[in-house]
Structures are given as C-alpha cells and as structure tokens.
Amino acid sequence: MYPWARALNSAKSKPNMLIYSMAKTPQRETSFHWIGPVALFHLGFVTNQSPQKIQIETLEDAKQYRLAVQREDVAAQVLHKLGFEFIETADIQQSYHLLAAHKVDLVVDDPRYISAMAQAMKLPDDQFRYVLDIEPLSIKGYLAASLATDPELVAQLRAAYQQLIDTPLYRKALFE
C-alpha cells in the first residue's frame, strides 16, 4: 500500500505494475491498460461535526467548509472543476486524521467505509457521518496495468477478468 499519488506514479512508470481501484478518466485513459471495473463507489462528504454545525443540502452549501482530498485523486479533479478549494493529503487516512483533529470539516469517502475508518482510528463507529452524495463521484473503480506491462500478461489478466465478471460474487461487489 502506497499513498495514492505515489501508487499512481509508480503504476504509470514501472513494468508489470497493477493499480486498483482507480477511476477511468479521460486524462488517464491512454496511460494504462484497463483490465475492468472491480468496485463501485458512491462518494460524498463525511464530517465529524454535529448536524447543527455542518448543514449541507447542495454542493454549493459545501463550499463554505474546509475540505481535505487525496492528491491526484479523481475527487480532487472533480471538485476542483466544480470550484472547490481543499487541502490535499497523501491518502484517505491522513484526510480522516485532519477531520478527527478538527483541522478540516469534511472529507470525501464512500459511506460503506466510514465505520471501518473509525474502527481503524480506534474511534466510536458513530464518530463520522455521511452528509451528502457528490453525484459526479458515483464512479466505477478499475483494475489497471502500467503500459510497460508485458502484453501477454495483460491478455491473461483480461481473460481472467472475463471469467470473473460472470460470478455472483463479482455482481454483488459491483452492483450492490
């Protein structure tokens, strides 16, 4: 496990390197061999503040709060385009640590992972709450390979992926 920006740069340059799960964006399209989607994310704003302190009903409402986002993450790209200002962190754990220390008001995450993050930080399960979906950040996460990956290996990965997509476990992971 590496901080996201380092993982992304390594996956761009090192041979036989895989990275997951990564949003397939127009900027990244030609930088990788795309194997297939392996996750579905519904990202949105997460806070540790009370509903009286953080009230967000629209994306525009969220712009008044301090936000942390991972460097070179798709959330940073999308939110920048939407006019957000934010602090960039190395990884999601660092973003949550800033949130827990009240140095930011919001982070971006999928609601399914909030409880696990609280547990990993040895905090109560209800320490964080999901506030608002960010519609443009309902995205598929892909398994991708560096362009320097052996073409035969890429073909084998794609063949294995084709077998995987027909399994109930894959359908459950990607669509539920």
Side-chain angles (χ1 to χ4, degrees):
M1 297 281 291
Y2 293 114
W4 180 249
R6 186 184 325 161
L8 186 61
N9 287 331
S10 293
K12 283 181 181 178
S13 61
K14 294 184 179 177
N16 301 322
M17 174 79 70
L18 298 175
I19 187 168
Y20 76 96
S21 64
M22 179 170 58
K24 188 176 182 180
T25 65
Q27 299 86 353
R28 296 175 179 167
E29 184 85 32
T30 59
S31 298
F32 298 93
H33 294 291
W34 297 92
I35 307 304
V38 294
L40 183 60
F41 298 104
H42 298 286
L43 302 175
F45 295 115
V46 176
T47 188
N48 62 343
Q49 304 285 331
S50 71
Q52 293 77 20
K53 287 190 95 175
I54 302 286
Q55 296 181 6
I56 301 174
E57 294 183 20
T58 67
L59 286 176
E60 207 54 40
D61 293 341
K63 289 181 180 178
Q64 66 185 302
Y65 298 106
R66 295 170 299 166
L67 172 64
V69 180
Q70 294 73 248
R71 185 175 10 278
E72 295 192 41
D73 186 73
V74 69
Q77 296 168 5
V78 168
L79 292 172
H80 178 74
K81 284 182 185 175
L82 292 172
F84 279 82
E85 294 182 15
F86 44 82
I87 295 169
E88 290 185 303
T89 62
D91 56 38
I92 190 68
Q93 291 84 3
Q94 187 178 19
S95 292
Y96 269 98
H97 282 290
L98 290 175
L99 182 61
H102 300 286
K103 295 188 182 203
V104 298
D105 303 308
L106 302 168
V107 298
V108 176
D109 203 358
D110 186 297
R112 295 173 293 175
Y113 304 116
I114 296 171
S115 178
M117 184 60 71
Q119 290 172 8
M121 295 174 71
K122 298 184 179 8
L123 296 170
D125 277 356
D126 63 354
Q127 177 73 30
F128 305 111
R129 67 182 177 91
Y130 194 76
V131 182
L132 180 75
D133 280 328
I134 303 170
E135 179 60 33
L137 289 175
S138 286
I139 54 175
K140 289 181 181 174
Y142 283 74
L143 173 64
S146 65
L147 291 179
T149 300
D150 179 342
E152 187 174 313
L153 180 57
V154 172
Q156 289 172 348
L157 286 165
R158 287 181 174 148
Y161 176 79
Q162 287 302 312
Q163 292 177 348
L164 174 71
I165 62 175
D166 291 330
T167 65
L169 184 59
Y170 174 83
R171 285 191 298 276
K172 181 178 180 179
L174 200 62
F175 301 110
E176 292 183 9

PDB file of all heavy atoms in Angstrom, residues 91-118:
ATOM      1  N   ASP A  91      -3.170  10.457   1.526  1.00  0.00           N
ATOM      2  CA  ASP A  91      -4.088   9.326   1.454  1.00  0.00           C
ATOM      3  C   ASP A  91      -5.325   9.587   2.295  1.00  0.00           C
ATOM      4  O   ASP A  91      -5.406  10.574   3.025  1.00  0.00           O
ATOM      5  CB  ASP A  91      -3.401   8.025   1.870  1.00  0.00           C
ATOM      6  CG  ASP A  91      -2.784   8.093   3.256  1.00  0.00           C
ATOM      7  OD1 ASP A  91      -3.377   8.705   4.168  1.00  0.00           O
ATOM      8  OD2 ASP A  91      -1.691   7.526   3.442  1.00  0.00           O
ATOM      9  N   ILE A  92      -6.298   8.688   2.201  1.00  0.00           N
ATOM     10  CA  ILE A  92      -7.571   8.860   2.905  1.00  0.00           C
ATOM     11  C   ILE A  92      -7.386   8.856   4.420  1.00  0.00           C
ATOM     12  O   ILE A  92      -8.077   9.571   5.129  1.00  0.00           O
ATOM     13  CB  ILE A  92      -8.609   7.799   2.449  1.00  0.00           C
ATOM     14  CG1 ILE A  92     -10.004   8.109   2.994  1.00  0.00           C
ATOM     15  CG2 ILE A  92      -8.181   6.396   2.852  1.00  0.00           C
ATOM     16  CD1 ILE A  92     -10.654   9.339   2.419  1.00  0.00           C
ATOM     17  N   GLN A  93      -6.428   8.080   4.911  1.00  0.00           N
ATOM     18  CA  GLN A  93      -6.194   8.058   6.358  1.00  0.00           C
ATOM     19  C   GLN A  93      -5.760   9.435   6.853  1.00  0.00           C
ATOM     20  O   GLN A  93      -6.231   9.898   7.899  1.00  0.00           O
ATOM     21  CB  GLN A  93      -5.134   7.001   6.732  1.00  0.00           C
ATOM     22  CG  GLN A  93      -5.587   5.577   6.538  1.00  0.00           C
ATOM     23  CD  GLN A  93      -5.427   5.070   5.104  1.00  0.00           C
ATOM     24  OE1 GLN A  93      -4.914   5.758   4.221  1.00  0.00           O
ATOM     25  NE2 GLN A  93      -5.899   3.854   4.868  1.00  0.00           N
ATOM     26  N   GLN A  94      -4.891  10.080   6.105  1.00  0.00           N
ATOM     27  CA  GLN A  94      -4.445  11.414   6.501  1.00  0.00           C
ATOM     28  C   GLN A  94      -5.615  12.405   6.462  1.00  0.00           C
ATOM     29  O   GLN A  94      -5.735  13.260   7.339  1.00  0.00           O
ATOM     30  CB  GLN A  94      -3.311  11.890   5.602  1.00  0.00           C
ATOM     31  CG  GLN A  94      -2.690  13.192   6.085  1.00  0.00           C
ATOM     32  CD  GLN A  94      -1.535  13.644   5.208  1.00  0.00           C
ATOM     33  OE1 GLN A  94      -1.385  13.222   4.065  1.00  0.00           O
ATOM     34  NE2 GLN A  94      -0.718  14.522   5.748  1.00  0.00           N
ATOM     35  N   SER A  95      -6.484  12.273   5.483  1.00  0.00           N
ATOM     36  CA  SER A  95      -7.664  13.140   5.418  1.00  0.00           C
ATOM     37  C   SER A  95      -8.528  12.955   6.666  1.00  0.00           C
ATOM     38  O   SER A  95      -8.973  13.926   7.279  1.00  0.00           O
ATOM     39  CB  SER A  95      -8.485  12.835   4.160  1.00  0.00           C
ATOM     40  OG  SER A  95      -7.783  13.212   3.002  1.00  0.00           O
ATOM     41  N   TYR A  96      -8.770  11.701   7.049  1.00  0.00           N
ATOM     42  CA  TYR A  96      -9.577  11.431   8.240  1.00  0.00           C
ATOM     43  C   TYR A  96      -8.891  11.928   9.517  1.00  0.00           C
ATOM     44  O   TYR A  96      -9.560  12.395  10.431  1.00  0.00           O
ATOM     45  CB  TYR A  96      -9.893   9.941   8.360  1.00  0.00           C
ATOM     46  CG  TYR A  96     -11.190   9.553   7.692  1.00  0.00           C
ATOM     47  CD1 TYR A  96     -11.203   9.007   6.417  1.00  0.00           C
ATOM     48  CD2 TYR A  96     -12.408   9.715   8.341  1.00  0.00           C
ATOM     49  CE1 TYR A  96     -12.390   8.628   5.808  1.00  0.00           C
ATOM     50  CE2 TYR A  96     -13.599   9.339   7.741  1.00  0.00           C
ATOM     51  CZ  TYR A  96     -13.583   8.803   6.476  1.00  0.00           C
ATOM     52  OH  TYR A  96     -14.770   8.432   5.877  1.00  0.00           O
ATOM     53  N   HIS A  97      -7.577  11.839   9.577  1.00  0.00           N
ATOM     54  CA  HIS A  97      -6.876  12.352  10.764  1.00  0.00           C
ATOM     55  C   HIS A  97      -7.051  13.863  10.879  1.00  0.00           C
ATOM     56  O   HIS A  97      -7.226  14.385  11.986  1.00  0.00           O
ATOM     57  CB  HIS A  97      -5.399  11.956  10.736  1.00  0.00           C
ATOM     58  CG  HIS A  97      -5.175  10.530  11.130  1.00  0.00           C
ATOM     59  ND1 HIS A  97      -5.356  10.058  12.415  1.00  0.00           N
ATOM     60  CD2 HIS A  97      -4.811   9.457  10.395  1.00  0.00           C
ATOM     61  CE1 HIS A  97      -5.116   8.758  12.463  1.00  0.00           C
ATOM     62  NE2 HIS A  97      -4.781   8.366  11.234  1.00  0.00           N
ATOM     63  N   LEU A  98      -7.013  14.568   9.754  1.00  0.00           N
ATOM     64  CA  LEU A  98      -7.277  16.011   9.784  1.00  0.00           C
ATOM     65  C   LEU A  98      -8.707  16.293  10.231  1.00  0.00           C
ATOM     66  O   LEU A  98      -8.956  17.237  10.990  1.00  0.00           O
ATOM     67  CB  LEU A  98      -7.031  16.631   8.405  1.00  0.00           C
ATOM     68  CG  LEU A  98      -5.587  16.710   7.938  1.00  0.00           C
ATOM     69  CD1 LEU A  98      -5.521  17.226   6.501  1.00  0.00           C
ATOM     70  CD2 LEU A  98      -4.756  17.590   8.863  1.00  0.00           C
ATOM     71  N   LEU A  99      -9.641  15.462   9.784  1.00  0.00           N
ATOM     72  CA  LEU A  99     -11.036  15.620  10.186  1.00  0.00           C
ATOM     73  C   LEU A  99     -11.187  15.380  11.689  1.00  0.00           C
ATOM     74  O   LEU A  99     -11.807  16.181  12.397  1.00  0.00           O
ATOM     75  CB  LEU A  99     -11.921  14.656   9.388  1.00  0.00           C
ATOM     76  CG  LEU A  99     -13.420  14.730   9.651  1.00  0.00           C
ATOM     77  CD1 LEU A  99     -13.979  16.107   9.305  1.00  0.00           C
ATOM     78  CD2 LEU A  99     -14.142  13.640   8.848  1.00  0.00           C
ATOM     79  N   ALA A 100     -10.593  14.302  12.185  1.00  0.00           N
ATOM     80  CA  ALA A 100     -10.692  13.980  13.609  1.00  0.00           C
ATOM     81  C   ALA A 100     -10.053  15.058  14.485  1.00  0.00           C
ATOM     82  O   ALA A 100     -10.508  15.307  15.612  1.00  0.00           O
ATOM     83  CB  ALA A 100     -10.054  12.625  13.887  1.00  0.00           C
ATOM     84  N   ALA A 101      -9.017  15.711  13.965  1.00  0.00           N
ATOM     85  CA  ALA A 101      -8.332  16.774  14.711  1.00  0.00           C
ATOM     86  C   ALA A 101      -9.003  18.136  14.515  1.00  0.00           C
ATOM     87  O   ALA A 101      -8.493  19.150  14.997  1.00  0.00           O
ATOM     88  CB  ALA A 101      -6.867  16.853  14.272  1.00  0.00           C
ATOM     89  N   HIS A 102     -10.124  18.171  13.800  1.00  0.00           N
ATOM     90  CA  HIS A 102     -10.886  19.399  13.533  1.00  0.00           C
ATOM     91  C   HIS A 102     -10.090  20.427  12.732  1.00  0.00           C
ATOM     92  O   HIS A 102     -10.326  21.629  12.845  1.00  0.00           O
ATOM     93  CB  HIS A 102     -11.418  20.015  14.831  1.00  0.00           C
ATOM     94  CG  HIS A 102     -12.326  19.101  15.574  1.00  0.00           C
ATOM     95  ND1 HIS A 102     -13.614  18.845  15.173  1.00  0.00           N
ATOM     96  CD2 HIS A 102     -12.117  18.337  16.679  1.00  0.00           C
ATOM     97  CE1 HIS A 102     -14.167  17.982  16.001  1.00  0.00           C
ATOM     98  NE2 HIS A 102     -13.283  17.652  16.921  1.00  0.00           N
ATOM     99  N   LYS A 103      -9.159  19.939  11.907  1.00  0.00           N
ATOM    100  CA  LYS A 103      -8.405  20.846  11.028  1.00  0.00           C
ATOM    101  C   LYS A 103      -9.132  21.033   9.703  1.00  0.00           C
ATOM    102  O   LYS A 103      -8.852  21.984   8.979  1.00  0.00           O
ATOM    103  CB  LYS A 103      -6.991  20.322  10.814  1.00  0.00           C
ATOM    104  CG  LYS A 103      -6.221  20.343  12.127  1.00  0.00           C
ATOM    105  CD  LYS A 103      -4.782  20.023  11.948  1.00  0.00           C
ATOM    106  CE  LYS A 103      -4.184  20.039  13.347  1.00  0.00           C
ATOM    107  NZ  LYS A 103      -2.819  20.271  13.417  1.00  0.00           N
ATOM    108  N   VAL A 104     -10.043  20.116   9.382  1.00  0.00           N
ATOM    109  CA  VAL A 104     -10.952  20.263   8.256  1.00  0.00           C
ATOM    110  C   VAL A 104     -12.345  19.878   8.740  1.00  0.00           C
ATOM    111  O   VAL A 104     -12.501  19.225   9.782  1.00  0.00           O
ATOM    112  CB  VAL A 104     -10.547  19.406   7.026  1.00  0.00           C
ATOM    113  CG1 VAL A 104      -9.185  19.828   6.493  1.00  0.00           C
ATOM    114  CG2 VAL A 104     -10.591  17.927   7.336  1.00  0.00           C
ATOM    115  N   ASP A 105     -13.341  20.279   7.969  1.00  0.00           N
ATOM    116  CA  ASP A 105     -14.730  19.977   8.322  1.00  0.00           C
ATOM    117  C   ASP A 105     -15.289  18.787   7.563  1.00  0.00           C
ATOM    118  O   ASP A 105     -16.238  18.157   8.020  1.00  0.00           O
ATOM    119  CB  ASP A 105     -15.618  21.193   8.013  1.00  0.00           C
ATOM    120  CG  ASP A 105     -15.166  22.445   8.728  1.00  0.00           C
ATOM    121  OD1 ASP A 105     -14.986  22.388   9.956  1.00  0.00           O
ATOM    122  OD2 ASP A 105     -14.980  23.481   8.052  1.00  0.00           O
ATOM    123  N   LEU A 106     -14.693  18.512   6.383  1.00  0.00           N
ATOM    124  CA  LEU A 106     -15.227  17.473   5.504  1.00  0.00           C
ATOM    125  C   LEU A 106     -14.099  16.690   4.836  1.00  0.00           C
ATOM    126  O   LEU A 106     -13.027  17.243   4.573  1.00  0.00           O
ATOM    127  CB  LEU A 106     -16.066  18.097   4.375  1.00  0.00           C
ATOM    128  CG  LEU A 106     -17.260  18.955   4.748  1.00  0.00           C
ATOM    129  CD1 LEU A 106     -17.772  19.699   3.517  1.00  0.00           C
ATOM    130  CD2 LEU A 106     -18.359  18.108   5.363  1.00  0.00           C
ATOM    131  N   VAL A 107     -14.378  15.419   4.581  1.00  0.00           N
ATOM    132  CA  VAL A 107     -13.558  14.593   3.699  1.00  0.00           C
ATOM    133  C   VAL A 107     -14.513  13.940   2.707  1.00  0.00           C
ATOM    134  O   VAL A 107     -15.734  14.016   2.864  1.00  0.00           O
ATOM    135  CB  VAL A 107     -12.733  13.524   4.466  1.00  0.00           C
ATOM    136  CG1 VAL A 107     -11.763  14.176   5.428  1.00  0.00           C
ATOM    137  CG2 VAL A 107     -13.632  12.538   5.173  1.00  0.00           C
ATOM    138  N   VAL A 108     -13.956  13.296   1.698  1.00  0.00           N
ATOM    139  CA  VAL A 108     -14.765  12.616   0.685  1.00  0.00           C
ATOM    140  C   VAL A 108     -14.516  11.119   0.806  1.00  0.00           C
ATOM    141  O   VAL A 108     -13.368  10.669   0.773  1.00  0.00           O
ATOM    142  CB  VAL A 108     -14.408  13.115  -0.730  1.00  0.00           C
ATOM    143  CG1 VAL A 108     -15.173  12.333  -1.788  1.00  0.00           C
ATOM    144  CG2 VAL A 108     -14.689  14.606  -0.849  1.00  0.00           C
ATOM    145  N   ASP A 109     -15.611  10.365   0.953  1.00  0.00           N
ATOM    146  CA  ASP A 109     -15.479   8.912   1.064  1.00  0.00           C
ATOM    147  C   ASP A 109     -16.806   8.261   0.689  1.00  0.00           C
ATOM    148  O   ASP A 109     -17.837   8.931   0.561  1.00  0.00           O
ATOM    149  CB  ASP A 109     -15.077   8.524   2.491  1.00  0.00           C
ATOM    150  CG  ASP A 109     -14.388   7.157   2.575  1.00  0.00           C
ATOM    151  OD1 ASP A 109     -14.252   6.468   1.541  1.00  0.00           O
ATOM    152  OD2 ASP A 109     -13.981   6.780   3.688  1.00  0.00           O
ATOM    153  N   ASP A 110     -16.775   6.953   0.551  1.00  0.00           N
ATOM    154  CA  ASP A 110     -17.961   6.148   0.317  1.00  0.00           C
ATOM    155  C   ASP A 110     -18.549   5.801   1.687  1.00  0.00           C
ATOM    156  O   ASP A 110     -17.795   5.423   2.596  1.00  0.00           O
ATOM    157  CB  ASP A 110     -17.559   4.866  -0.438  1.00  0.00           C
ATOM    158  CG  ASP A 110     -18.744   4.037  -0.856  1.00  0.00           C
ATOM    159  OD1 ASP A 110     -19.478   3.550   0.040  1.00  0.00           O
ATOM    160  OD2 ASP A 110     -18.938   3.843  -2.062  1.00  0.00           O
ATOM    161  N   PRO A 111     -19.861   5.909   1.865  1.00  0.00           N
ATOM    162  CA  PRO A 111     -20.435   5.654   3.196  1.00  0.00           C
ATOM    163  C   PRO A 111     -20.175   4.246   3.728  1.00  0.00           C
ATOM    164  O   PRO A 111     -20.153   4.038   4.943  1.00  0.00           O
ATOM    165  CB  PRO A 111     -21.927   5.914   3.010  1.00  0.00           C
ATOM    166  CG  PRO A 111     -22.169   5.866   1.544  1.00  0.00           C
ATOM    167  CD  PRO A 111     -20.877   6.255   0.886  1.00  0.00           C
ATOM    168  N   ARG A 112     -19.904   3.295   2.841  1.00  0.00           N
ATOM    169  CA  ARG A 112     -19.657   1.918   3.290  1.00  0.00           C
ATOM    170  C   ARG A 112     -18.349   1.769   4.056  1.00  0.00           C
ATOM    171  O   ARG A 112     -18.141   0.772   4.743  1.00  0.00           O
ATOM    172  CB  ARG A 112     -19.653   0.967   2.096  1.00  0.00           C
ATOM    173  CG  ARG A 112     -21.001   0.872   1.396  1.00  0.00           C
ATOM    174  CD  ARG A 112     -20.903   0.068   0.142  1.00  0.00           C
ATOM    175  NE  ARG A 112     -20.082   0.811  -0.817  1.00  0.00           N
ATOM    176  CZ  ARG A 112     -19.724   0.342  -2.000  1.00  0.00           C
ATOM    177  NH1 ARG A 112     -20.091  -0.864  -2.368  1.00  0.00           N
ATOM    178  NH2 ARG A 112     -18.997   1.071  -2.817  1.00  0.00           N
ATOM    179  N   TYR A 113     -17.452   2.750   3.947  1.00  0.00           N
ATOM    180  CA  TYR A 113     -16.131   2.611   4.555  1.00  0.00           C
ATOM    181  C   TYR A 113     -15.932   3.477   5.805  1.00  0.00           C
ATOM    182  O   TYR A 113     -14.882   3.420   6.429  1.00  0.00           O
ATOM    183  CB  TYR A 113     -15.046   2.941   3.519  1.00  0.00           C
ATOM    184  CG  TYR A 113     -15.189   2.075   2.291  1.00  0.00           C
ATOM    185  CD1 TYR A 113     -15.494   2.633   1.062  1.00  0.00           C
ATOM    186  CD2 TYR A 113     -15.054   0.692   2.368  1.00  0.00           C
ATOM    187  CE1 TYR A 113     -15.655   1.835  -0.064  1.00  0.00           C
ATOM    188  CE2 TYR A 113     -15.215  -0.109   1.250  1.00  0.00           C
ATOM    189  CZ  TYR A 113     -15.513   0.467   0.039  1.00  0.00           C
ATOM    190  OH  TYR A 113     -15.672  -0.325  -1.068  1.00  0.00           O
ATOM    191  N   ILE A 114     -16.933   4.251   6.160  1.00  0.00           N
ATOM    192  CA  ILE A 114     -16.800   5.184   7.281  1.00  0.00           C
ATOM    193  C   ILE A 114     -16.592   4.448   8.605  1.00  0.00           C
ATOM    194  O   ILE A 114     -15.705   4.790   9.383  1.00  0.00           O
ATOM    195  CB  ILE A 114     -18.028   6.112   7.356  1.00  0.00           C
ATOM    196  CG1 ILE A 114     -18.087   6.981   6.108  1.00  0.00           C
ATOM    197  CG2 ILE A 114     -17.985   6.966   8.626  1.00  0.00           C
ATOM    198  CD1 ILE A 114     -19.386   7.771   5.976  1.00  0.00           C
ATOM    199  N   SER A 115     -17.394   3.448   8.869  1.00  0.00           N
ATOM    200  CA  SER A 115     -17.281   2.706  10.128  1.00  0.00           C
ATOM    201  C   SER A 115     -15.921   2.028  10.249  1.00  0.00           C
ATOM    202  O   SER A 115     -15.288   2.057  11.311  1.00  0.00           O
ATOM    203  CB  SER A 115     -18.406   1.670  10.226  1.00  0.00           C
ATOM    204  OG  SER A 115     -18.286   0.921  11.403  1.00  0.00           O
ATOM    205  N   ALA A 116     -15.442   1.430   9.168  1.00  0.00           N
ATOM    206  CA  ALA A 116     -14.131   0.770   9.192  1.00  0.00           C
ATOM    207  C   ALA A 116     -13.024   1.778   9.471  1.00  0.00           C
ATOM    208  O   ALA A 116     -12.067   1.474  10.190  1.00  0.00           O
ATOM    209  CB  ALA A 116     -13.880   0.052   7.868  1.00  0.00           C
ATOM    210  N   MET A 117     -13.145   2.978   8.931  1.00  0.00           N
ATOM    211  CA  MET A 117     -12.136   4.004   9.182  1.00  0.00           C
ATOM    212  C   MET A 117     -12.151   4.409  10.654  1.00  0.00           C
ATOM    213  O   MET A 117     -11.103   4.548  11.280  1.00  0.00           O
ATOM    214  CB  MET A 117     -12.369   5.219   8.286  1.00  0.00           C
ATOM    215  CG  MET A 117     -11.306   6.277   8.426  1.00  0.00           C
ATOM    216  SD  MET A 117      -9.616   5.736   8.019  1.00  0.00           S
ATOM    217  CE  MET A 117      -9.744   5.560   6.262  1.00  0.00           C
ATOM    218  N   ALA A 118     -13.342   4.578  11.212  1.00  0.00           N
ATOM    219  CA  ALA A 118     -13.451   4.921  12.630  1.00  0.00           C
ATOM    220  C   ALA A 118     -12.812   3.821  13.487  1.00  0.00           C
ATOM    221  O   ALA A 118     -12.050   4.111  14.420  1.00  0.00           O
ATOM    222  CB  ALA A 118     -14.912   5.126  13.023  1.00  0.00           C
TER     223      ALA A 118
END
